[in-house]
Amino acid sequence: MSTWTCPGEPEHQGPPGDLVIQWDGQIGQACDPCGSELDSWGNWAELACFGDTGAPPGYVTNIHITDLITGIRGGPQTEIPPEFCLLSQLRELDLDGNHLLGKIPDWIPACFPYLDELDLSYNKLSGSIPSWMDQLPFAEEFKLEHNLLTGRIPEGFSKMESIRVIRLEHNQLAGRLPDDFSGFEIEALWLHENPDLCGPMEAIPASRCKFSECGINTKNTGIGRECPADAPQEAEITPVEELVPCTFKTKYGRPMTMDLPAGACPILQNVYP
């Protein structure tokens, strides 16, 4: 990522908008996040560049930043940074346990078309579950557990061509389960600790499961009982945010133009004005 400075350097302060990452290893040669070896976690403990995923060599494919005491930007709480959209070849976006606030960004499918794991669990994300999940055709794992999400579960999970694990437990979800759960075969569907979920469970546990979390869990919900009259009737429709052209300077002073979320452009333009 051309606008990031090397984490862990003694003089590293982070310019405005810089993504500050806690890192406890040694700085590698030229601070290349991909390192000198392919298919490894490289020089930055939280980033990997796995060529066997189909990504071109030298592209970051995995972000696994979890349980930061100070948060992603060095402050106590923050929204999910739109600058992550620079990493267009991501296969894994794992940001669990990072004090994240706000809604789940609607730019995720446009920025990460090859994503196979989305893990935003153990944060403080609010709002509804986005209805664009079927725009992630390669996603196997969709994890939003232990947040503050509300409303109905939207239709669309059954249209995810590769989905195997859905974890939505410990939120504040409500209402009848989506109709497309009827006959939906899934290796893991965890919905427990959402007391206001209701209606019949028509999804089917897969006969085989390769993950540590398997089966269907509806403990401490109203699933299996008739929905009350005041239960949410409709799920919120959340269209994918369109990206816009953004021109900014790299740390070498060269201009670069990319399609990015609108919120990312002023941040990147302020890093190297």
Side-chain angles (χ1 to χ4, degrees):
M1 290 177 53
S2 59
T3 58
W4 283 28
T5 55
C6 297
E9 290 180 337
E11 67 274 16
H12 175 73
Q13 298 296 322
D18 186 34
L19 294 173
V20 179
I21 297 180
Q22 308 301 310
W23 187 76
D24 56 4
Q26 298 296 316
I27 295 298
Q29 185 176 11
C31 198
D32 179 1
C34 289
S36 58
E37 297 182 7
L38 297 177
D39 303 329
S40 74
W41 279 98
N43 297 320
W44 296 19
E46 296 90 357
L47 305 183
C49 307
F50 293 126
D52 60 356
T53 61
Y59 280 79
V60 173
T61 59
N62 296 63
I63 293 179
H64 193 96
I65 305 173
T66 64
D67 301 320
L68 293 185
I69 296 175
T70 58
I72 288 179
R73 289 194 190 277
Q77 296 174 335
T78 182
E79 295 184 351
I80 298 174
E83 306 96 296
F84 278 134
C85 194
L86 290 165
L87 303 174
S88 60
Q89 293 291 328
L90 272 192
R91 271 53 175 176
E92 174 194 10
L93 179 60
D94 188 340
L95 301 175
D96 68 275
N98 286 309
H99 311 282
L100 295 171
L101 298 173
K103 294 185 177 182
I104 298 169
D106 291 327
W107 43 258
I108 286 178
C111 293
F112 312 128
Y114 308 107
L115 204 64
D116 62 35
E117 179 182 349
L118 177 65
D119 188 346
L120 303 177
S121 59
Y122 290 89
N123 285 294
K124 297 179 181 179
L125 297 172
S126 57
S128 61
I129 295 174
S131 60
W132 43 248
M133 77 284 285
D134 59 343
Q135 301 298 308
L136 298 173
F138 303 105
E140 293 189 0
E141 300 178 68
F142 194 90
K143 299 179 178 180
L144 303 177
E145 71 268 23
H146 288 269
N147 277 291
L148 304 172
L149 301 174
T150 57
R152 278 196 66 184
I153 299 173
E155 308 278 343
F157 279 113
S158 68
K159 298 178 182 178
M160 298 176 73
E161 300 174 12
S162 306
I163 194 66
R164 294 171 178 266
V165 172
I166 301 170
R167 293 192 57 177
L168 306 176
E169 71 267 21
H170 287 275
N171 277 287
Q172 299 169 17
L173 303 172
R176 181 185 174 91
L177 299 181
D179 291 338
D180 69 345
F181 272 13
S182 179
F184 178 42
E185 186 171 316
I186 186 73
E187 293 185 24
L189 175 60
W190 287 16
L191 303 172
H192 52 283
E193 305 301 336
N194 285 287
D196 294 326
L197 287 177
C198 55
M201 167 54 74
E202 298 179 330
I204 302 171
S207 57
R208 295 182 180 181
C209 179
K210 69 175 185 178
F211 297 90
S212 58
E213 60 269 77
C214 295
I216 296 176
N217 190 333
T218 61
K219 184 179 179 181
N220 291 336
T221 71
I223 294 173
R225 298 194 294 269
E226 185 175 348
C227 292
D230 60 350
Q233 298 300 309
E234 302 290 339
E236 182 178 350
I237 303 300
T238 49
V240 177
E241 179 182 336
E242 293 186 7
L243 306 183
V244 297
C246 173
T247 300
F248 56 95
K249 290 182 180 179
T250 71
K251 63 182 177 182
Y252 303 109
R254 294 192 295 266
M256 175 180 289
T257 300
M258 293 183 64
D259 290 341
L260 296 170
C265 203
I267 295 173
L268 293 173
Q269 290 172 338
N270 194 43
V271 174
Y272 299 105

